Amino acid sequence: MNYKMIRYIIGMILMAESAFMVLPMLVSVFYKEYDVLMPFVYSIFAAFATSLVFGLKKPKNDLVFARESYIAVAGGWIVVSIFGAMPFYLSGAIPSVIDAVFETVSGFTTTGATVLAAVEDLPKGILFWRAFTHWIGGMGIIMFLLMLTQFSEGHSLYIMRAEVPGPTVGKIAPKSTSNAIILYAIYAGLTVIETVLLLFGGIGVFDAVTTAMSTAGTGGFSVRDAGIAAYESAYIEWVVAIFMLVFGVNFNLYYLMLLRRFKIAFKSEEFRVFIAIVAICTVLMGANSAAYYGDFGVAIRKAFFQTTATISTTGFGGVEFMNWPAFSHSIILLLLFMGACAGSTAGGLKLSRIIMTFKMLRKESHRLAHPHEVTTIKFEGKIVDKETRSFIMVYMSAFLAILAVSSIAVMMMGHDYETAFTAVLSCLNNVGPALGEVGHGGVYNMFSGIEKLFLSLLMLTGRLEIFPMLILFMPSTWRRH
């Protein structure tokens, strides 16, 4: 195993993080929050100094294969979460180390679970860093690194595969560096568009920028205690809801649209299923909650907001869904499982996996009834090979096993079934809000320190799609072969 290259990659990740922290530090300077300035300075220095120790010089042997990539990615995400927690802790915004780490992990993994019941009195620099962790984590720290650092093409694909969500890694350009640049350009462009539209809604620049970053990363951290509801604006709700939908779509489709290949983009099977699910769930929950609002139009708006917030795993607060009938809660629970499209910034199982799983079930049922007939499974017009099908089934099995065992573990720590199951599901799927004690605010204060660390591990496991974290902690990974 190339340990030097693993250290080098983690060092580069830390160097990128130290650069990212400069921006919230400048926000603190702009708002004259000088008591927050030094915590950022110390955090930047600690991250940068450590990055020099880890990755001052690129090793001569820069070969990176699957095992090194998974270890570097998983290790890198853990390390940046620890260093990213420093501004929260040193500034006193979150006086507990474990709580600060939980908040940071939730930010980078774009989960949106929080330990902060009230945020409006926090310094602007801290709130900006909190939202910025969503924006960084949405597209991925490694993706940013690939945009700046030259690796050999075959080996950079291993690194990309370890972080990019979805059953397969789709390339839209011949080189991984070009892929990263294109995806980040689309990501940044959509963030800017949302920011401008939010400004038209009459909210301040700071609120518009932080809300757009949280939406783009499909994280859901707000700078208002009441979430999006604090703005008391139907326009703001519609803009945020539409962009939660936008960031739940595979970014490769946006690239096709930029190339004016609209017919190919709109023929995407996953995209059509995604839109259909959003439409159906919106109508069903709107009709089910209409009596609560006394106005069908308002009910549809709230239902659309909650549908996009849940399926995109953004989880913005702003809808009183805990007061809705049980039928709506059942739909929300199903959406908690799904997630949006592969290749988006959303968490969850991803619709592509769910679609292919149903197709595999149908194929096997057909094969049992017609044992001599040869059938294939197609997705997005292409035949799904045996390796991909096998990997999807292993992934789904691993996900359900982790969900079951983790839910039982949290219940054994003294929580009711609804709280334990939905909190574990929400963290593993990087959603944030849950049912039971957590509620729509996504505040996890009722959990102990050990439980928060455990849930943080689940958030990282879900963001990296299970296997990088499993590989990191498997004893066989570290044995010499």
Side-chain angles (χ1 to χ4, degrees):
M1 183 149 39
N2 193 344
Y3 290 103
K4 290 183 179 179
M5 197 59 191
I6 292 171
R7 287 197 301 271
Y8 176 75
I9 293 172
I10 293 175
M12 291 297 98
I13 293 170
L14 273 176
M15 189 172 290
E17 183 180 34
S18 67
F20 284 135
M21 282 194 276
V22 171
L23 196 52
M25 182 186 73
L26 294 176
V27 171
S28 297
V29 172
F30 179 81
Y31 285 101
K32 299 179 180 179
E33 299 169 338
Y34 300 117
D35 54 332
V36 183
L37 184 61
M38 291 315 294
F40 275 115
V41 172
Y42 295 144
S43 302
I44 292 167
F45 176 78
F48 184 73
T50 307
S51 75
L52 293 180
V53 173
F54 275 50
L56 181 60
K57 186 178 180 182
K58 187 175 182 180
K60 291 182 180 179
N61 177 16
D62 64 350
L63 296 181
V64 177
F65 296 99
R67 185 165 53 149
E68 288 91 345
S69 298
Y70 284 123
I71 292 170
V73 168
W77 275 76
I78 291 172
V79 169
V80 295
S81 296
I82 293 169
F83 279 89
M86 290 181 67
F88 293 123
Y89 178 69
L90 294 177
S91 66
I94 303 178
S96 163
V97 173
I98 291 176
D99 283 357
V101 170
F102 179 91
E103 196 80 9
T104 310
V105 171
S106 180
F108 279 127
T109 60
T110 73
T111 303
T114 184
V115 295
L116 298 170
V119 297
E120 290 184 16
D121 292 332
L122 293 178
K124 292 285 197 297
I126 292 296
L127 289 175
F128 186 91
W129 175 237
R130 189 169 173 260
F132 197 31
T133 57
H134 277 337
W135 197 85
I136 297 165
M139 189 57 68
I141 303 167
I142 308 298
M143 186 69 76
F144 182 82
L145 188 64
L146 287 174
M147 190 169 66
L148 302 178
T149 309
Q150 294 295 326
F151 293 105
S152 61
E153 185 54 31
H155 303 301
S156 64
L157 189 59
Y158 280 124
I159 300 171
M160 203 172 160
R161 189 177 291 130
E163 185 183 59
V164 174
T168 58
V169 176
K171 295 184 70 177
I172 55 180
K175 293 186 177 181
S176 294
T177 301
S178 302
N179 269 272
I181 292 171
I182 291 168
L183 290 173
Y184 252 102
I186 295 170
Y187 187 52
L190 289 172
T191 307
V192 170
I193 293 170
E194 185 187 356
T195 302
V196 172
L197 290 174
L198 288 172
L199 288 172
F200 283 136
I203 67 175
V205 174
F206 181 81
D207 285 47
V209 171
T210 51
T211 300
M213 288 194 298
S214 290
T215 309
T218 60
F221 279 155
S222 176
V223 294
R224 299 294 176 183
D225 295 341
I228 303 303
Y231 303 113
E232 299 180 343
S233 167
Y235 172 83
I236 297 297
E237 276 189 30
W238 279 114
V239 169
V240 173
I242 289 168
F243 273 90
M244 286 191 286
L245 189 73
V246 165
F247 285 106
V249 173
N250 191 326
F251 274 54
N252 289 1
L253 300 186
Y254 295 132
Y255 182 64
L256 289 173
M257 291 177 193
L258 288 174
L259 297 177
R260 298 185 179 181
R261 297 178 184 174
F262 300 106
K263 189 177 290 186
I264 299 173
F266 291 121
K267 280 179 67 177
S268 167
E269 187 176 355
E270 185 183 34
F271 175 73
R272 293 200 306 270
V273 171
F274 179 54
I275 297 300
I277 290 172
V278 170
I280 292 167
C281 291
T282 297
V283 171
L284 289 176
M285 287 199 290
N288 188 236
S289 61
Y292 175 76
Y293 292 104
D295 185 315
F296 186 68
V298 173
I300 285 292
R301 186 180 82 237
K302 298 292 185 180
F304 179 64
F305 185 94
Q306 190 57 44
T307 298
T308 56
T310 309
I311 197 169
S312 71
T313 71
T314 308
F316 263 128
V319 175
E320 316 84 353
F321 68 82
M322 292 298 291
N323 298 324
W324 291 0
F327 177 71
S328 291
H329 289 183
S330 300
I331 294 174
I332 291 169
L333 187 59
L334 286 173
L335 293 174
L336 279 174
F337 267 101
M338 289 181 188
C341 301
S344 68
T345 59
L349 282 170
K350 303 296 182 298
L351 287 177
S352 55
R353 286 196 184 94
I354 295 171
I355 294 167
M356 282 189 267
T357 298
F358 276 107
K359 287 188 174 187
M360 283 186 273
L361 289 172
R362 186 177 63 184
K363 176 181 179 292
E364 287 305 308
S365 300
H366 185 83
R367 187 181 65 81
L368 289 172
H370 307 277
H372 301 294
E373 188 175 330
V374 178
T375 58
T376 58
I377 295 174
K378 285 189 175 183
F379 180 70
E380 304 289 14
K382 298 177 182 177
I383 294 174
V384 181
D385 59 67
K386 187 176 180 180
E387 183 182 353
T388 302
R389 296 200 305 268
S390 175
F391 185 79
I392 288 170
M393 294 311 296
V394 170
Y395 181 91
M396 298 291 273
S397 300
F399 178 90
L400 292 174
I402 293 170
L403 176 62
V405 172
S406 300
S407 298
I408 292 169
V410 174
M411 275 190 282
M412 289 174 66
M413 295 176 189
H415 299 279
D416 63 87
Y417 169 77
E418 185 180 46
T419 299
F421 178 75
T422 57
V424 167
L425 177 60
S426 187
C427 287
L428 188 58
N429 259 359
N430 305 131
V431 181
L435 303 176
E437 296 174 55
V438 177
H440 70 276
V443 180
Y444 283 65
N445 275 338
M446 77 292 300
F447 293 102
S448 67
I450 294 296
E451 290 167 340
K452 286 172 186 169
L453 288 177
F454 179 67
L455 292 172
S456 297
L457 187 61
L458 287 178
M459 286 189 270
L460 288 167
T461 301
R463 173 58 182 84
L464 298 180
E465 305 224 311
I466 297 176
F467 293 105
M469 294 302 291
L470 285 183
I471 290 169
L472 181 66
F473 291 108
M474 282 173 57
S476 60
T477 302
W478 304 95
R479 295 190 194 125
R480 293 183 179 275
H481 295 281

